[in-house]
Amino acid sequence: MDDLQIVPRFDDSLTYIYAEHVRVDRWESGIAFWDKEGITEVPAAAVRVLMLGPGSTISHAAIEVMADNNCLVIWCGEENVRFYAHGIGGTRSAARLLHQARLVSDTAARERVVRALYTKRFSETPPAESTVEQLRGMEGQRVREAYRRLSAETGVAWNGRFYDRGNWDRADPVNRAISAANSCLYGLCHAAILSAGYSPALGFIHTGKQLSFVYDVADLYKTDLALPIAFAAAARNASDLERQVRLAMRDAFRTSRLLGRILPDLRAVLSDETPEDDLAVYDDDPARPAELWAPPEEQAHEESDTDDRADS
């Protein structure tokens, strides 16, 4: 029998819960939702992302238990269309973030990561002589082909990607479905990025926004996962379209075992071989002060003085 005291790893857990017009509080070792229907208990250790929509309140005790269980809490708009704020990640170590920052700050290294992302996304290596602009053109062509193919398969008319967050109902059903599916995928990828200690802002293909790297990572799975679900939901033309998309995405996350794929994919595209011991050094004691920085020449001088003192 498994030891029930063992907290599940990130990739062993459920995916996400979206809630609105509820009160969230701690309930024994987990949390519970209070709404007009009653109480719903949730095991905190089994949830990776908690999305709080309009009309939601959450207690300090509930936030504490979610943080202890490495669950990302997101405050979002209705149907998760708008993104307002989020909690912290699952590690206190900056080792992986520093590795990511070195890659994104070096032009040659960044281009290698861009190529690795496109290779992972399309399951083929792009021509060595192709520029980043040409890679973007190849990506756009494949995405347009995916839209046309899914339109033909489902019978859903496709007139291009359009949505206005300020006027949600103006978009046609398939565009609303795509937005809903993407928001679920973004939330899960965001949680994975933070749990591993990377920055969601330091993107390689996308840049300039706090979620740039989230968009990079989500694009790896969008064409194969989010788009088919969105077109299928639009074809059914359900009155609760966004809810049906969220449920379908939840089921797809589970059957595709996406949580177990994201972290290895991140390490692969970033060529990240950070030892786990380097990550655990601050996790063992979250209040432990960090190391102090000094210019390389000063560090070399200090090490030399230390060696001299040791010899004497």
Side-chain angles (χ1 to χ4, degrees):
M1 180 176 179
D2 293 338
D3 184 355
L4 298 182
Q5 301 302 314
I6 297 177
V7 177
R9 299 180 308 166
F10 181 87
D11 52 1
D12 290 334
S13 305
L14 303 177
T15 53
Y16 70 88
I17 293 177
Y18 171 81
E20 60 183 39
H21 303 289
V22 298
R23 179 167 62 88
V24 187
D25 205 345
R26 183 165 188 163
W27 183 272
E28 297 181 349
S29 59
I31 60 173
F33 298 94
W34 277 262
D35 61 12
K36 62 182 181 180
E37 303 296 333
I39 301 175
T40 303
E41 300 174 34
V42 178
V47 182
R48 293 301 90 207
V49 188
L50 173 60
M51 301 177 180
L52 296 176
S56 301
T57 61
I58 188 167
S59 69
H60 183 281
I63 288 291
E64 181 181 9
V65 73
M66 300 309 282
D68 288 343
N69 286 281
N70 189 19
C71 176
L72 177 69
V73 180
I74 293 176
W75 286 263
C76 58
E78 187 175 5
E79 306 295 355
N80 197 25
V81 175
R82 293 181 181 272
F83 184 98
Y84 298 124
H86 64 83
I88 64 171
T91 177
R92 273 72 175 179
S93 172
R96 284 179 173 156
L97 189 153
L98 293 172
H99 173 72
Q100 179 186 5
R102 284 191 290 268
L103 293 176
V104 82
S105 302
D106 180 273
T107 301
R110 185 171 187 166
E111 186 172 340
R112 287 196 299 271
V113 174
V114 169
R115 290 182 178 277
L117 285 166
Y118 282 123
T119 299
K120 176 71 67 173
R121 183 174 182 182
F122 300 127
S123 300
E124 65 179 58
T125 303
E129 67 278 6
S130 57
T131 65
V132 171
E133 185 177 356
Q134 288 172 330
L135 292 174
R136 290 199 188 101
M138 294 165 57
E139 174 198 26
Q141 180 180 357
R142 295 192 183 210
V143 172
R144 288 190 293 272
E145 289 175 355
Y147 284 140
R148 288 194 292 266
R149 173 176 53 81
L150 290 168
S151 175
E153 290 176 356
T154 60
V156 174
W158 177 250
N159 299 308
R161 186 75 173 107
F162 171 82
Y163 72 101
D164 181 356
R165 293 193 301 177
N167 190 357
W168 179 247
D169 293 331
R170 183 182 175 189
D172 58 22
V174 67
N175 270 285
R176 298 203 326 266
I178 291 172
S179 296
N182 287 346
S183 68
C184 295
L185 185 58
Y186 293 154
L188 190 64
C189 292
H190 193 169
I193 289 167
L194 289 177
S195 76
Y198 298 112
S199 167
L202 297 182
F204 294 84
I205 297 174
H206 297 85
T207 187
K209 296 193 71 172
Q210 286 292 332
L211 299 181
S212 293
F213 193 46
V214 174
Y215 303 144
D216 284 354
V217 176
D219 278 351
L220 297 177
Y221 318 105
K222 190 177 292 183
T223 304
D224 295 332
L225 192 66
L227 292 185
I229 285 175
F231 271 85
R236 293 193 296 271
N237 198 26
S239 58
D240 55 346
L241 176 65
E242 290 82 0
R243 180 175 184 273
Q244 292 301 319
V245 170
R246 288 200 307 272
L247 293 175
M249 289 294 289
R250 180 198 62 189
D251 293 342
F253 289 157
R254 183 179 65 252
T255 56
S256 67
R257 303 185 65 84
L258 184 60
L259 282 171
R261 294 160 50 194
I262 295 177
L263 297 185
D265 286 348
L266 283 175
R267 290 192 290 267
V269 298
L270 297 179
S271 301
D272 190 350
E273 299 179 357
T274 304
E276 292 299 322
D277 290 345
D278 290 352
L279 300 172
V281 63
Y282 293 113
D283 290 338
D284 293 341
D285 182 2
R288 175 182 176 180
E291 303 294 337
L292 301 178
W293 177 85
E297 60 273 15
E298 292 186 20
Q299 291 180 352
H301 180 70
E302 182 178 347
E303 292 172 357
S304 177
D305 288 346
T306 302
D307 293 339
D308 291 343
R309 288 194 296 271
D311 291 340
S312 61

